[in-house]
Amino acid sequence: MPIAERIRFFSLLADSAFREDDFTHEQIFGETYQEPFSAPEAAEYLEISLPTLRRYVQSGKLVPSCIVGRNQMFSAQTLRTFKRNRGN
């Protein structure tokens, strides 16, 4: 497909897929808002290394919301609170 047609095609596709100009946070992330974070995801969210996250858990500064097998899961609310308080 020539590049001009490709650009027109994807422009039309985008226009039909995103008719509303402004999406709310809830519309985009509503389903995943309460989903737990895995340890690597939590470390990335907190902008720390995975070993640092593990040290926070071992010292009791951060508590996983649940443990599935050997995997620690962290609630989004706990991570938000921890991140907010860590900045102080």
Side-chain angles (χ1 to χ4, degrees):
M1 175 183 308
I3 191 148
E5 280 186 46
R6 191 176 317 151
I7 291 171
R8 185 163 159 31
F9 171 74
F10 284 110
S11 295
L12 288 171
L13 183 64
D15 287 343
S16 66
F18 302 107
R19 292 189 190 271
E20 294 182 32
D21 290 337
D22 191 23
F23 290 100
T24 65
H25 188 273
E26 181 66 28
Q27 287 173 312
I28 296 172
F29 299 106
E31 295 175 11
T32 60
Y33 186 69
Q34 295 299 324
E35 290 293 316
F37 285 67
S38 66
E41 292 169 337
E44 183 177 346
Y45 175 77
L46 294 173
E47 300 174 7
I48 59 176
S49 68
L50 192 54
T52 300
L53 177 86
R54 301 280 186 220
R55 281 195 299 275
Y56 285 157
V57 171
Q58 287 177 347
S59 67
K61 292 180 182 178
L62 187 60
V63 179
S65 60
C66 67
I67 299 176
V68 180
R70 294 178 55 190
N71 300 314
Q72 297 173 329
M73 305 302 284
F74 300 86
S75 74
Q77 182 60 42
T78 300
L79 294 176
R80 277 193 295 279
T81 303
F82 182 81
K83 190 172 187 176
R84 192 176 308 120
N85 292 339
R86 191 176 52 129
N88 294 334

